[in-house]
Amino acid sequence: MGFLSQFETCFWTIILFLFMVLNCHVNEAALVLPKNVTVTAVFVFGDSIVDPGNNNNLPTIAKGNFLPYGRDFKDGPTGRFSNAEEFGVKGLVPAYLDPKTQLQDLLTGVSFASGAAGYDPLTAKTANVIAMSGQLELFKECIKKIKGAVGEERAATIISKAIYIVCTGSNDISNTYFSTPFRRPHYDINGYAEFNARYANQFLQDLYGLGARRIGLLGLPPIGCVPSQRTIGGGKNRDCYEAENQLAIAYNAKLSGVIDSLKAVDTLPDTKFIFLDIYYPLLSLIQNPAKYGFEVATKGCCGTGLIEASVFCNPTSIPLSCPDASKYVFWDGYHPSEKAYKILVPIIINTHINEFF
């Protein structure tokens, strides 16, 4: 797939990308934004919610570069963990590790995210994916390439006026804390949330040290209410896995606290740190599906809808998959559908847009 490298002069399109869809078409000149500020690029870090294909060539099961993922993309599967079609834009912000990603793409932003990663280093290690620290190393490599292409001065402008989105943490809960014996004997829910918040704090400070000045941190969703977790921990009625939701709430409180503390630090001047809540907007869709035009909120579209995600949502799942994903809050056992994203994005925009500037 070819990736377009120009910004379209549409503020809402770039923000649409920022909040989880990774879709953005831009103009060569920096986008003109409110209050006479500009956005030069978008750089993204995190897990499968914002991984557009960095895992494709890794020896891991955490990938989605096969059908039925991407069945509604005109170019088919790309490695994005969704069925989502482009939201009316012509280009896709590429994965940094995609062999087709060009130098020009780096100048306007790429994603370093790796599906199944988390703040807890053990989470990425267990899944054999790129840890958050490794994603920072890739960003350092990217910066060097940008400097080599446009020089130190312009590179500094690109880096400082870019927007950065960090989206991870759910896998720490579902894949590490509740699915392995390594953390629970040592940490209760609040202790584990604090443990990961320290890693998040260090990540954000490291990102600042590399030149980032506009950073949005997405909180965790109600992970216990996604289809696979209902099946795993919700009992015979597949209720929400409340222990996971309790940890997600505690985790979000710690992450929000990290943002508040960084805002108060005098040694980080001219920097915007924003906490972006996704927990309650998504929970509203799950609890009130008909209100938003959905018919199914407890199962995914892929396969049986009970557990399938990543390699378990594969071509053999197609005969069992729903014909119309727009009726479902979730595409697979873990990830929201295109329609859910379309609803969630404006909610987040309206709540947080001015905080970036």
Side-chain angles (χ1 to χ4, degrees), residues 268-282:
L268 303 177
D270 302 318
T271 304
K272 300 291 186 179
F273 291 105
I274 303 97
F275 179 77
L276 309 170
D277 174 48
I278 189 64
Y279 188 99
Y280 291 103
L282 179 54

Side-chain angles (χ1 to χ4, degrees), residues 21-295:
V21 251
L22 294 176
N23 296 330
C24 166
H25 181 226
V26 291
N27 263 340
E28 203 166 63
L31 192 65
V32 177
L33 301 172
K35 301 180 182 178
N36 297 316
V37 297
T38 59
V39 170
T40 53
V42 178
F43 295 104
V44 186
F45 304 82
D47 57 27
S48 60
I49 294 295
V50 286
D51 176 4
N54 284 309
N55 282 7
N56 286 358
N57 296 313
L58 298 181
T60 178
I61 65 171
K63 57 180 69 178
N65 58 335
F66 41 77
L67 289 171
Y69 288 106
R71 73 177 193 183
D72 297 325
F73 277 111
K74 65 178 183 296
D75 295 300
T78 63
R80 288 170 171 80
F81 292 78
S82 173
N83 70 308
E85 174 61 274
E86 302 167 56
F87 291 178
V89 293
K90 298 180 181 179
L92 295 172
V93 171
Y96 178 71
L97 293 180
D98 189 325
K100 297 177 183 177
T101 297
Q102 302 296 313
L103 178 60
Q104 186 66 23
D105 295 312
L106 307 187
L107 305 183
T108 52
V110 290
S111 172
F112 305 95
S114 181
Y119 290 113
D120 185 341
L122 182 61
T123 301
K125 183 177 182 180
T126 301
N128 201 31
V129 298
I130 307 167
M132 297 301 287
S133 58
Q135 294 179 35
L136 274 180
E137 292 303 313
L138 291 177
F139 182 47
K140 291 178 184 178
E141 179 181 280
C142 177
I143 292 173
K144 290 181 181 179
K145 292 178 180 178
I146 292 173
K147 288 180 178 178
V150 301
E152 293 275 348
E153 184 175 348
R154 186 180 171 201
T157 299
I158 291 172
I159 299 304
S160 66
K161 294 188 178 298
I163 285 180
Y164 297 79
I165 296 296
V166 183
C167 175
T168 195
S170 295
N171 298 305
D172 295 328
I173 294 177
S174 61
N175 297 351
T176 300
Y177 190 78
F178 285 104
S179 298
T180 72
F182 304 118
R183 297 303 191 201
R184 270 188 294 171
H186 307 288
Y187 301 96
D188 62 12
I189 282 178
N190 285 325
Y192 189 60
E194 178 64 34
F195 171 82
N196 286 301
R198 289 196 292 269
Y199 278 103
N201 181 70
Q202 188 60 57
F203 182 88
L204 295 176
Q205 292 200 51
D206 289 344
L207 201 54
Y208 172 88
L210 294 173
R213 295 296 181 268
R214 297 169 178 159
I215 305 172
L217 179 72
L218 265 82
L220 277 62
I223 189 65
C225 293
V226 307
S228 63
Q229 302 311 296
R230 286 176 178 269
T231 301
I232 291 170
K236 64 179 181 179
N237 294 326
R238 297 186 63 252
D239 298 320
C240 292
Y241 191 170
E242 287 304 330
E244 288 193 347
N245 281 351
Q246 289 172 14
L247 179 48
I249 290 170
Y251 209 137
N252 283 338
K254 298 296 184 181
L255 292 177
S256 180
V258 166
I259 293 297
D260 289 340
S261 65
L262 290 174
K263 287 180 178 179
V265 175
D266 293 336
T267 56
L268 303 177
D270 302 318
T271 304
K272 300 291 186 179
F273 291 105
I274 303 97
F275 179 77
L276 309 170
D277 174 48
I278 189 64
Y279 188 99
Y280 291 103
L282 179 54
L283 187 63
S284 182
L285 267 64
I286 295 168
Q287 294 179 336
N288 309 285
K291 175 182 177 181
Y292 299 95
F294 295 106
E295 296 180 8

